[in-house]
Amino acid sequence: MRKLAICLILGALTISCGSETEKRDPGINCDDGQLYNPETDECVDVANNANNSNNANNSNNVNNVNNSNNVNNSNNINNVNNSNNINNVNNSNNVNNVNNSNNSNNVNNSNNGNNSNNSNNSNNSNNMMGCVGVPTFFGQIGGTGVHDGGTPTTTPYTNNAGIAAILAAVPAQPDDINTPAVDEGRVTLFLPLDVTGATVIATGFDTVANRTFWIQDGSGAIQTFLATDPTLTPIRVGDIVSFTATELVNFEGKPEITQLTNFAILSSGNPVYYRDASGGLVPGDYAKNVRFSGEITDSGVACGGSSRCFTLQNAQGVSVQYRTASNFTALGDCLTFLGPMSSFPGPVGGGAVPVLQLDTTNFGWSQTAFP
């Protein structure tokens, strides 16, 4: 047998095979437009060979195109994976990105699983650590209730309306229950103290709002707990008021104004300060408005009267105590609170270390986010 390498056509009369070159067999006569093929021992059309060659090239081109597609598909998969790495940022956008990557059935199937998870994460965004509460809720500030009003501000007050002097005059200890004949926690002011230009920052329920309200200036805040209404006009959040305090009480460590005279509303609709407490509560927040959003992470425990105390945890992992008498508060609720911070016992001579809490003395201070 002859040893032949890969052959190429050279002109019309020779076939080159590696280092060997042979003449076309003169005994075989082919028609015009044909060449003798020694491998098949027959004449073949030159045009067909060219077409076959082109077909092979086309086949290669197709393969190259397919290979290119494979590369693109690989890149698309990477893009999808990258998209999945940021699921927590914007799940809805991730879903759109995945749907746009439709180059591979396998990729789509994989993404369908991710879409399901993203959808669940979106539905649970106001559950667990993703709770953002109700961003547009500011409690009584700017509300439409009879005793709501004012405009929200995060700029602290700087005026001195006389509240510092009131707080300094509150008895240092609450009433001693072992001496019922004497109320150590109550003091009648022989030299009444004036409050001029304090802002009403919150009130109790509508039925007691004119007797139970919170006032603040640049030096501090305090609650009133009056036996009778000081005015027939509804006292509203955002009112600037003046009066003369004649009796103060230390109730379980909580300072209160229990009697006053000469009450007057100087103006209404004023800015009402609140502090963003997403970083946690501090003792200095007592009786002042704070705003906190989070999720109820337990079933609560009884904590006085008809109230229960729950753990409220925000998206940053900060937890506070949330106290309410509402029968509708439940595990998993995502809510926003804006109202005066409280504590038990109060901060003035209560004995035990005060537990800071958000107490819904007025249900209007809290709103739950619904899916």
Side-chain angles (χ1 to χ4, degrees):
M1 294 180 64
R2 291 178 298 178
K3 181 178 181 181
L4 294 176
I6 299 174
C7 300
L8 298 175
I9 300 172
L10 299 176
L13 299 177
T14 63
I15 297 175
S16 175
C17 299
S19 60
E20 299 182 23
T21 300
E22 67 172 348
K23 298 288 185 179
R24 200 181 74 182
D25 189 335
I28 300 297
N29 293 319
C30 294
D31 295 334
D32 291 338
Q34 292 185 325
L35 289 176
Y36 173 70
N37 187 341
E39 297 295 328
T40 60
D41 196 31
E42 63 182 355
C43 296
V44 296
D45 293 331
V46 174
N48 286 342
N49 284 338
N51 289 337
N52 290 338
S53 175
N54 288 337
N55 288 339
N57 289 337
N58 290 337
S59 175
N60 289 337
N61 288 338
V62 171
N63 288 337
N64 289 337
V65 171
N66 289 336
N67 290 338
S68 175
N69 287 338
N70 289 337
V71 172
N72 288 337
N73 288 340
S74 175
N75 289 337
N76 289 333
I77 293 172
N78 289 335
N79 289 337
V80 173
N81 289 337
N82 290 336
S83 174
N84 290 337
N85 288 336
I86 56 171
N87 282 338
N88 292 331
V89 175
N90 193 326
N91 289 333
S92 62
N93 287 338
N94 289 339
V95 172
N96 290 334
N97 290 338
V98 171
N99 288 339
N100 290 335
S101 300
N102 288 328
N103 293 326
S104 167
N105 289 334
N106 290 335
V107 173
N108 289 336
N109 291 337
S110 173
N111 288 337
N112 288 336
N114 289 334
N115 287 342
S116 175
N117 290 337
N118 287 339
S119 176
N120 289 336
N121 289 337
S122 176
N123 290 335
N124 292 331
S125 64
N126 270 335
N127 293 325
M128 286 309 294
M129 299 306 101
C131 169
V132 295
V134 186
T136 58
F137 178 72
F138 293 91
Q140 290 185 275
I141 306 173
T144 58
V146 174
H147 298 279
D148 299 346
T151 57
T153 182
T154 55
T155 302
Y157 301 122
T158 57
N159 66 311
N160 181 4
I163 294 179
I166 297 284
L167 292 172
V170 171
Q173 296 294 326
D175 182 29
D176 185 352
I177 61 175
N178 295 316
T179 56
V182 180
D183 187 348
E184 294 87 354
R186 186 179 303 270
V187 60
T188 298
L189 299 175
F190 294 103
L191 293 175
L193 296 172
D194 291 332
V195 172
T196 305
T199 302
V200 177
I201 62 169
T203 73
F205 290 110
D206 286 352
T207 55
V208 298
N210 268 27
R211 302 192 298 274
T212 302
F213 53 91
W214 284 253
I215 57 173
Q216 185 177 353
D217 66 6
S219 65
I222 191 170
Q223 171 190 349
T224 67
F225 195 84
L226 308 174
T228 59
D229 290 1
T231 178
L232 297 178
T233 302
I235 297 173
R236 303 181 66 193
V237 171
D239 286 352
I240 289 182
V241 300
S242 66
F243 58 85
T244 299
T246 59
E247 183 182 79
L248 307 175
V249 166
N250 180 335
F251 178 73
E252 296 181 341
K254 302 177 180 182
E256 298 174 347
I257 299 172
T258 51
Q259 289 187 23
L260 55 80
T261 60
N262 304 321
F263 184 87
I265 298 173
L266 305 180
S267 65
S268 300
N270 296 285
V272 179
Y273 172 70
Y274 73 92
R275 187 181 78 83
D276 180 353
S278 57
L281 305 176
V282 296
D285 290 329
Y286 184 82
K288 301 173 184 176
N289 279 339
V290 295
R291 190 171 191 272
F292 188 94
S293 297
E295 180 195 346
I296 299 294
T297 60
D298 57 26
S299 299
V301 295
C303 58
S306 59
S307 295
R308 294 182 69 81
C309 286
F310 299 85
T311 299
L312 186 64
Q313 185 173 359
N314 68 9
Q316 291 76 39
V318 177
S319 295
V320 300
Q321 187 176 95
Y322 177 77
R323 184 175 187 262
T324 183
S326 170
N327 294 324
F328 299 101
T329 303
L331 176 67
D333 282 356
C334 174
L335 57 87
T336 294
F337 175 96
L338 197 159
M341 190 199 79
S342 185
S343 71
F344 185 82
V348 183
V353 176
V355 176
L356 309 182
Q357 59 185 201
L358 307 178
D359 190 351
T360 57
T361 301
N362 184 334
F363 288 159
W365 298 347
S366 177
Q367 183 170 319
T368 301
F370 294 99

Short mmCIF file of all heavy atoms in Angstrom, two decimals, residues 322-353:
data_model
loop_
_atom_site.label_atom_id
_atom_site.label_comp_id
_atom_site.label_asym_id
_atom_site.label_seq_id
_atom_site.Cartn_x
_atom_site.Cartn_y
_atom_site.Cartn_z
N TYR A 322 -41.99 46.58 74.83
CA TYR A 322 -43.21 47.21 74.32
C TYR A 322 -44.38 46.77 75.19
O TYR A 322 -44.69 45.59 75.30
CB TYR A 322 -43.43 46.80 72.86
CG TYR A 322 -44.69 47.32 72.22
CD1 TYR A 322 -44.79 48.64 71.80
CD2 TYR A 322 -45.79 46.48 72.01
CE1 TYR A 322 -45.94 49.12 71.19
CE2 TYR A 322 -46.94 46.94 71.39
CZ TYR A 322 -47.01 48.26 70.99
OH TYR A 322 -48.15 48.73 70.39
N ARG A 323 -45.03 47.75 75.85
CA ARG A 323 -46.12 47.44 76.79
C ARG A 323 -47.45 47.95 76.22
O ARG A 323 -47.54 49.09 75.78
CB ARG A 323 -45.85 48.10 78.15
CG ARG A 323 -46.88 47.77 79.23
CD ARG A 323 -46.44 48.36 80.57
NE ARG A 323 -47.29 47.93 81.66
CZ ARG A 323 -48.30 48.66 82.16
NH1 ARG A 323 -48.56 49.86 81.66
NH2 ARG A 323 -49.02 48.20 83.17
N THR A 324 -48.45 47.08 76.25
CA THR A 324 -49.75 47.47 75.71
C THR A 324 -50.87 46.67 76.35
O THR A 324 -50.66 45.52 76.77
CB THR A 324 -49.79 47.29 74.18
OG1 THR A 324 -51.06 47.74 73.68
CG2 THR A 324 -49.58 45.83 73.78
N ALA A 325 -52.05 47.28 76.41
CA ALA A 325 -53.24 46.58 76.89
C ALA A 325 -54.09 46.10 75.71
O ALA A 325 -55.17 45.55 75.91
CB ALA A 325 -54.07 47.51 77.77
N SER A 326 -53.59 46.28 74.50
CA SER A 326 -54.34 45.85 73.32
C SER A 326 -54.42 44.33 73.26
O SER A 326 -53.43 43.63 73.49
CB SER A 326 -53.65 46.38 72.05
OG SER A 326 -54.22 45.80 70.90
N ASN A 327 -55.59 43.84 72.90
CA ASN A 327 -55.77 42.39 72.75
C ASN A 327 -55.40 41.91 71.35
O ASN A 327 -55.48 40.71 71.07
CB ASN A 327 -57.24 42.02 73.03
CG ASN A 327 -57.64 42.25 74.47
OD1 ASN A 327 -56.84 42.04 75.38
ND2 ASN A 327 -58.87 42.71 74.69
N PHE A 328 -54.99 42.83 70.48
CA PHE A 328 -54.72 42.47 69.10
C PHE A 328 -53.23 42.33 68.80
O PHE A 328 -52.85 41.93 67.70
CB PHE A 328 -55.34 43.52 68.16
CG PHE A 328 -56.83 43.63 68.31
CD1 PHE A 328 -57.39 44.67 69.04
CD2 PHE A 328 -57.67 42.69 67.73
CE1 PHE A 328 -58.76 44.78 69.18
CE2 PHE A 328 -59.04 42.79 67.88
CZ PHE A 328 -59.60 43.84 68.60
N THR A 329 -52.37 42.68 69.74
CA THR A 329 -50.93 42.55 69.53
C THR A 329 -50.55 41.07 69.55
O THR A 329 -50.96 40.33 70.45
CB THR A 329 -50.14 43.31 70.61
OG1 THR A 329 -50.55 44.68 70.58
CG2 THR A 329 -48.65 43.22 70.36
N ALA A 330 -49.75 40.64 68.56
CA ALA A 330 -49.42 39.22 68.45
C ALA A 330 -48.00 39.04 67.94
O ALA A 330 -47.39 39.95 67.35
CB ALA A 330 -50.40 38.52 67.51
N LEU A 331 -47.46 37.85 68.18
CA LEU A 331 -46.14 37.47 67.68
C LEU A 331 -46.06 37.70 66.17
O LEU A 331 -46.95 37.29 65.43
CB LEU A 331 -45.88 36.00 68.01
CG LEU A 331 -44.57 35.39 67.48
CD1 LEU A 331 -43.37 36.01 68.16
CD2 LEU A 331 -44.58 33.87 67.70
N GLY A 332 -45.00 38.36 65.73
CA GLY A 332 -44.80 38.60 64.31
C GLY A 332 -45.31 39.94 63.82
O GLY A 332 -45.04 40.32 62.68
N ASP A 333 -46.06 40.65 64.67
CA ASP A 333 -46.54 41.98 64.26
C ASP A 333 -45.36 42.91 63.99
O ASP A 333 -44.37 42.92 64.72
CB ASP A 333 -47.41 42.61 65.35
CG ASP A 333 -48.81 42.05 65.38
OD1 ASP A 333 -49.13 41.22 64.50
OD2 ASP A 333 -49.59 42.42 66.28
N CYS A 334 -45.46 43.67 62.91
CA CYS A 334 -44.46 44.69 62.57
C CYS A 334 -45.11 46.04 62.77
O CYS A 334 -46.15 46.32 62.16
CB CYS A 334 -43.99 44.50 61.14
SG CYS A 334 -42.88 45.80 60.55
N LEU A 335 -44.54 46.88 63.63
CA LEU A 335 -45.24 48.12 63.98
C LEU A 335 -44.27 49.28 64.19
O LEU A 335 -43.06 49.10 64.32
CB LEU A 335 -46.09 47.90 65.24
CG LEU A 335 -45.38 47.42 66.51
CD1 LEU A 335 -44.83 48.59 67.32
CD2 LEU A 335 -46.32 46.59 67.37
N THR A 336 -44.84 50.47 64.24
CA THR A 336 -44.10 51.69 64.56
C THR A 336 -44.73 52.35 65.76
O THR A 336 -45.97 52.48 65.84
CB THR A 336 -44.08 52.66 63.36
OG1 THR A 336 -43.34 52.07 62.29
CG2 THR A 336 -43.45 53.99 63.74
N PHE A 337 -43.89 52.76 66.71
CA PHE A 337 -44.34 53.48 67.91
C PHE A 337 -43.77 54.88 67.87
O PHE A 337 -42.59 55.08 67.59
CB PHE A 337 -43.85 52.75 69.16
CG PHE A 337 -44.15 53.48 70.45
CD1 PHE A 337 -45.27 53.15 71.20
CD2 PHE A 337 -43.31 54.48 70.93
CE1 PHE A 337 -45.55 53.82 72.39
CE2 PHE A 337 -43.58 55.15 72.12
CZ PHE A 337 -44.70 54.82 72.85
N LEU A 338 -44.62 55.88 68.15
CA LEU A 338 -44.14 57.24 68.37
C LEU A 338 -44.96 57.85 69.50
O LEU A 338 -46.15 58.12 69.35
CB LEU A 338 -44.24 58.11 67.11
CG LEU A 338 -43.38 59.39 67.16
CD1 LEU A 338 -43.12 59.94 65.76
CD2 LEU A 338 -43.96 60.48 68.04
N GLY A 339 -44.30 58.02 70.63
CA GLY A 339 -44.94 58.58 71.80
C GLY A 339 -43.91 58.74 72.90
O GLY A 339 -42.73 58.41 72.72
N PRO A 340 -44.33 59.24 74.08
CA PRO A 340 -43.37 59.43 75.18
C PRO A 340 -42.83 58.09 75.69
O PRO A 340 -43.59 57.13 75.87
CB PRO A 340 -44.21 60.12 76.26
CG PRO A 340 -45.37 60.73 75.51
CD PRO A 340 -45.65 59.78 74.40
N MET A 341 -41.53 58.01 75.91
CA MET A 341 -40.95 56.81 76.51
C MET A 341 -41.27 56.79 78.00
O MET A 341 -41.27 57.83 78.66
CB MET A 341 -39.43 56.77 76.31
CG MET A 341 -38.82 55.41 76.71
SD MET A 341 -37.03 55.50 77.00
CE MET A 341 -37.01 56.21 78.67
N SER A 342 -41.50 55.60 78.51
CA SER A 342 -41.78 55.41 79.93
C SER A 342 -40.74 54.46 80.52
O SER A 342 -39.80 54.02 79.83
CB SER A 342 -43.19 54.85 80.12
OG SER A 342 -43.52 54.77 81.48
N SER A 343 -40.91 54.14 81.79
CA SER A 343 -40.06 53.13 82.43
C SER A 343 -40.77 52.60 83.66
O SER A 343 -41.69 53.23 84.19
CB SER A 343 -38.69 53.71 82.82
OG SER A 343 -38.82 54.62 83.90
N PHE A 344 -40.32 51.43 84.11
CA PHE A 344 -40.84 50.89 85.37
C PHE A 344 -39.70 50.31 86.18
O PHE A 344 -38.98 49.44 85.70
CB PHE A 344 -41.90 49.82 85.13
CG PHE A 344 -42.52 49.36 86.41
CD1 PHE A 344 -43.53 50.08 87.01
CD2 PHE A 344 -42.06 48.20 87.04
CE1 PHE A 344 -44.07 49.67 88.23
CE2 PHE A 344 -42.60 47.78 88.24
CZ PHE A 344 -43.61 48.52 88.83
N PRO A 345 -39.55 50.82 87.43
CA PRO A 345 -40.23 52.01 87.95
C PRO A 345 -39.75 53.26 87.24
O PRO A 345 -38.89 53.19 86.36
CB PRO A 345 -39.83 52.01 89.42
CG PRO A 345 -38.49 51.34 89.44
CD PRO A 345 -38.55 50.29 88.37
N GLY A 346 -40.30 54.41 87.63
CA GLY A 346 -39.88 55.67 87.04
C GLY A 346 -38.45 56.01 87.43
O GLY A 346 -37.82 55.33 88.26
N PRO A 347 -37.89 57.08 86.88
CA PRO A 347 -36.48 57.40 87.07
C PRO A 347 -36.13 58.10 88.39
O PRO A 347 -34.96 58.27 88.69
CB PRO A 347 -36.17 58.32 85.88
CG PRO A 347 -37.47 59.00 85.61
CD PRO A 347 -38.53 58.00 85.89
N VAL A 348 -37.17 58.49 89.17
CA VAL A 348 -36.89 59.29 90.37
C VAL A 348 -37.11 58.45 91.63
O VAL A 348 -38.25 58.26 92.09
CB VAL A 348 -37.77 60.56 90.42
CG1 VAL A 348 -37.42 61.41 91.64
CG2 VAL A 348 -37.62 61.38 89.15
N GLY A 349 -36.05 57.92 92.18
CA GLY A 349 -36.11 57.23 93.48
C GLY A 349 -37.00 56.02 93.52
O GLY A 349 -37.60 55.72 94.56
N GLY A 350 -37.13 55.31 92.41
CA GLY A 350 -38.01 54.16 92.39
C GLY A 350 -37.43 52.92 93.04
O GLY A 350 -38.12 51.92 93.22
N GLY A 351 -36.15 52.95 93.42
CA GLY A 351 -35.52 51.81 94.07
C GLY A 351 -34.80 50.92 93.07
O GLY A 351 -33.59 50.95 92.96
N ALA A 352 -35.55 50.12 92.32
CA ALA A 352 -34.96 49.21 91.34
C ALA A 352 -34.47 50.00 90.12
O ALA A 352 -34.87 51.15 89.89
CB ALA A 352 -35.97 48.15 90.92
N VAL A 353 -33.59 49.36 89.35
CA VAL A 353 -33.12 49.98 88.11
C VAL A 353 -34.29 50.04 87.13
O VAL A 353 -34.92 49.02 86.84
CB VAL A 353 -31.96 49.18 87.50
CG1 VAL A 353 -31.54 49.79 86.17
CG2 VAL A 353 -30.79 49.14 88.48
#
